[in-house]
Amino acid sequence: MNQAVLILIKPDGLKKSLTGNILTRLSETKLEIVAAKMARVSRELAEEHYKYLRDKPFFEELIKYLRGELHDRKKAMALIYWGKEAIKKCRELAGATNPEEAEPTSIRGAYGRILTSGLYENVIHVSSNEEEAAREIKLWFNPDEIIVDLYPTKENVIKDFKKKVWA
Ligand code: IDP
Ligand code: MG
């Protein structure tokens, strides 16, 4: 069964110029990239993304981290990988949440660090199960930004809808 997984290259990954390295590592999975974009991360998006951690003492710093406020990089790169066992394959390559405990050859083991505050700066996000992947993908992407049909959609007719187009 094909699975979709949301990958985020977090602002520390971008600041350390790791995009190429990370995409090369992920290409080992032979999965297909079905969506990709740079995103500005609003507070609403960051809080919704990490809502299950709302009660943790590091939550506020985690939101700042994902928004790029700790790295002077107000952006993240969002990608969807698609294929067989996509979640397991990508999480294995990413390594453990705590970069000190991650396999040294994993992405987080190689490039992550722990801040003196205790926050894990671990370079990438990878959805951890199918339910989380669906929730996160719908949060970060619109259906027309993804080149395969992942989840059911509906058509909305929006009257007087304003949208920027090329001049
Ligand atoms: P995951 O990213 O491996 O799925 P989650 O538990 O979903 O791990 O945590 C989300 C993010 O929150 C982590 O990637 C890390 O940046 C941060 N984080 C999680 N647990 C801790 C912790 O115990 N201390 C510091 N930061 C943490
Ligand atoms: Mg998680």
Side-chain angles (χ1 to χ4, degrees), residues 36-94:
K37 66 178 176 187
M38 299 303 303
R40 285 209 178 265
V41 187
S42 67
R43 172 160 279 273
E44 293 70 33
L45 174 58
E47 286 184 355
E48 188 60 27
H49 179 81
Y50 279 137
K51 65 179 180 185
Y52 56 95
L53 295 171
R54 199 170 280 149
D55 297 330
K56 299 284 183 192
F58 54 81
F59 183 70
E60 187 52 33
E61 202 183 5
L62 180 62
I63 297 308
K64 285 194 178 139
Y65 167 39
L66 187 61
R67 296 198 64 202
E69 289 176 30
L70 306 183
H71 295 90
D72 196 25
R73 286 284 188 290
K74 295 257 169 56
K75 59 190 175 186
M77 188 170 186
L79 303 109
I80 303 171
Y81 280 76
W82 189 67
K84 285 200 176 56
E85 293 198 81
I87 295 173
K88 184 165 164 270
K89 286 177 184 165
C90 292
R91 284 204 62 104
E92 263 174 29
L93 268 180

Side-chain angles (χ1 to χ4, degrees), residues 13-162:
L14 297 175
K15 184 157 189 175
K16 292 172 177 172
S17 288
L18 292 173
T19 308
N21 303 43
I22 292 167
L23 297 183
T24 301
R25 292 299 309 276
L26 288 169
S27 71
E28 291 168 24
T29 61
K30 306 277 197 292
L31 297 166
E32 189 181 344
I33 298 173
V34 295
K37 66 178 176 187
M38 299 303 303
R40 285 209 178 265
V41 187
S42 67
R43 172 160 279 273
E44 293 70 33
L45 174 58
E47 286 184 355
E48 188 60 27
H49 179 81
Y50 279 137
K51 65 179 180 185
Y52 56 95
L53 295 171
R54 199 170 280 149
D55 297 330
K56 299 284 183 192
F58 54 81
F59 183 70
E60 187 52 33
E61 202 183 5
L62 180 62
I63 297 308
K64 285 194 178 139
Y65 167 39
L66 187 61
R67 296 198 64 202
E69 289 176 30
L70 306 183
H71 295 90
D72 196 25
R73 286 284 188 290
K74 295 257 169 56
K75 59 190 175 186
M77 188 170 186
L79 303 109
I80 303 171
Y81 280 76
W82 189 67
K84 285 200 176 56
E85 293 198 81
I87 295 173
K88 184 165 164 270
K89 286 177 184 165
C90 292
R91 284 204 62 104
E92 263 174 29
L93 268 180
T97 306
N98 178 340
E100 293 294 331
E101 287 172 4
E103 277 290 319
T105 54
S106 67
I107 294 168
R108 288 168 164 182
Y111 303 125
R113 65 172 182 164
I114 302 180
L115 299 186
T116 45
S117 65
L119 186 76
Y120 303 160
E121 249 187 37
N122 52 14
V123 179
I124 62 169
H125 165 81
V126 184
S127 318
S128 53
N129 56 58
E130 282 193 26
E131 196 187 352
E132 192 182 280
R135 184 185 80 82
E136 293 175 352
I137 285 170
K138 291 175 188 173
L139 189 61
W140 286 81
F141 287 94
N142 291 319
D144 60 7
E145 294 175 308
I146 308 172
I147 61 160
V148 291
D149 294 330
L150 293 178
Y151 311 112
T153 55
K154 58 180 182 182
E155 281 194 337
N156 263 2
V157 179
I158 303 168
K159 210 169 162 260
D160 297 332
F161 177 63
K162 252 196 196 171

